[in-house]
């Protein structure tokens, strides 16, 4: 059996030519063995019908096995020639033939320079990918920061809404007036606190 893997032929046929020939060889061996068993049974039956036959079944088996070896040797010799013919002339793709899926290689033949250019392009794309990844992470961080700021702004607007509601409750509809009223109240509270602290110090010194 040929040791050439014939990978291109396997790509086209879907199996290696050696596998095909091996199956043919095994199938013939199996059929030859079955035929010789059938022939032996027929011979033994015929011998039983011959009176005073001196040929024993053991002798018949030896003759059958000898004939089987002879046939196997002849077949192996013929099969070797058949294998060479099939592998070289039938299940063989000539070296100047390209399969349809490999036609692009004819228009764009491989070269060491193209390989280097391709490797350089891959390296550049990898660098761009890293930059894009870092940019994406920075944008995600900024988005999270914007969410935090948005939440704080929402809290501030809620606070102002509450102030406005307080102003309405106190009879002040204008927000500026409410804010001014709140500031005035804070100043009054601060003045009261200062007076309380002064009075506390005076009492402590007495």
């Amino acid at each position: 059996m040929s040791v050439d893997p014939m990978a291109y032929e396997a790509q086209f046929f879907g199996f290696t030519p050696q596998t095909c020939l091996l199956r043919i060889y095994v199938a013939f061996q199996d059929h030859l063995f079955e035929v010789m068993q059938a022939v032996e049974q027929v011979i033994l039956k015929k011998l039983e019908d011959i009176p005073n036959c001196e040929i024993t079944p053991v002798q018949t088996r030896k003759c059958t096995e000898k004939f089987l070896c002879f046939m196997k040797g002849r077949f192996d010799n013929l099969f070797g020639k058949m294998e060479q013919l099939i592998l070289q002339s039938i299940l063989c793709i000539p070296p100047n033939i390209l399969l349809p899926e490999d036609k692009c290689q004819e228009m764009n033949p491989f070269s060491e320079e193209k390989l280097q250019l391709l490797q350089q392009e891959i390296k550049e794309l990898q660098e761009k990918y890293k930059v894009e990844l870092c940019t994406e992470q920075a944008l995600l961080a900024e988005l999270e920061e914007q969410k935090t700021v948005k939440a704080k702004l929402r809290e501030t607007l809620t606070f102002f809404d509450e102030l406005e509601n307080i102003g309405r409750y106190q009879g002040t509809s204008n927000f500026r007036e409410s804010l001014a009223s709140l500031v005035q109240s804070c100043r009054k509270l601060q003045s009261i606190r200062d007076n309380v602290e002064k009075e506390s110090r005076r009492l402590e010194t007495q």
Side-chain angles (χ1 to χ4, degrees):
M1 193 69 68
S2 173
V3 295
D4 183 5
M6 301 184 73
Y8 206 50
E9 285 76 6
Q11 178 182 336
F12 177 72
F13 293 113
F15 57 85
T16 61
Q18 291 89 341
T19 302
C20 177
L21 290 172
L22 179 61
R23 291 179 178 178
I24 293 174
Y25 181 83
V26 172
F28 180 83
Q29 294 286 346
D30 292 340
H31 285 296
L32 179 62
F33 183 74
E34 292 174 0
V35 168
M36 292 309 301
Q37 281 186 321
V39 170
E40 181 180 342
Q41 293 299 322
V42 172
I43 293 174
L44 291 175
K45 188 173 181 181
K46 292 293 184 181
L47 291 176
E48 290 177 357
D49 297 335
I50 300 175
N52 300 324
C53 180
E54 296 181 355
I55 301 175
T56 63
V58 176
Q59 292 175 328
T60 304
R61 170 58 61 86
K62 289 182 178 181
C63 292
T64 304
E65 291 177 350
K66 186 176 180 179
F67 183 70
L68 178 62
C69 291
F70 170 77
M71 291 294 296
K72 187 176 181 301
R74 294 288 295 177
F75 174 74
D76 288 344
N77 185 28
L78 293 174
F79 187 83
K81 297 178 181 179
M82 182 179 69
E83 176 191 6
Q84 185 177 4
L85 176 64
I86 291 176
L87 293 180
Q88 292 180 356
S89 304
I90 300 176
L91 298 179
C92 177
I93 299 177
N96 60 329
I97 299 298
L98 281 176
L99 297 180
E101 59 267 28
D102 295 331
K103 285 292 184 181
C104 59
Q105 296 183 11
E106 186 176 12
M107 296 181 291
N108 300 291
F110 171 81
S111 66
E112 189 67 27
E113 182 181 358
K114 288 185 177 181
L115 177 61
Q116 292 178 357
L117 290 175
L118 182 60
Q119 290 175 342
Q120 181 64 28
E121 184 178 354
I122 292 174
K123 185 177 180 180
E124 291 176 358
L125 289 174
Q126 289 176 341
E127 293 296 330
K128 289 181 179 180
Y129 172 75
K130 291 179 180 179
V131 173
E132 292 293 335
L133 188 61
C134 292
T135 304
E136 181 183 1
Q137 292 176 350
L139 290 174
L140 289 174
E142 184 178 353
L143 181 61
E144 290 297 324
E145 185 178 352
Q146 289 179 357
K147 289 180 179 179
T148 303
V149 173
K150 186 176 180 181
K152 290 182 178 180
L153 287 174
R154 188 178 291 109
E155 292 177 0
T156 304
L157 291 175
T158 302
F159 173 72
F160 283 129
D161 289 340
E162 291 176 354
L163 287 178
E164 189 173 358
N165 291 333
I166 292 172
R168 289 197 186 99
Y169 179 76
Q170 293 179 353
T172 306
S173 59
N174 189 283
F175 176 73
R176 291 183 178 179
E177 294 179 358
S178 299
L179 185 59
S181 176
L182 180 62
V183 170
Q184 186 177 2
S185 298
C186 289
R187 287 176 178 174
K188 288 181 180 180
L189 290 173
Q190 186 176 5
S191 177
I192 294 171
R193 187 196 65 179
D194 293 340
N195 292 333
V196 170
E197 289 179 353
K198 288 179 181 179
E199 185 66 21
S200 296
R201 292 193 194 98
R202 188 182 65 80
L203 292 174
E204 288 177 358
T205 57
Q206 289 181 356

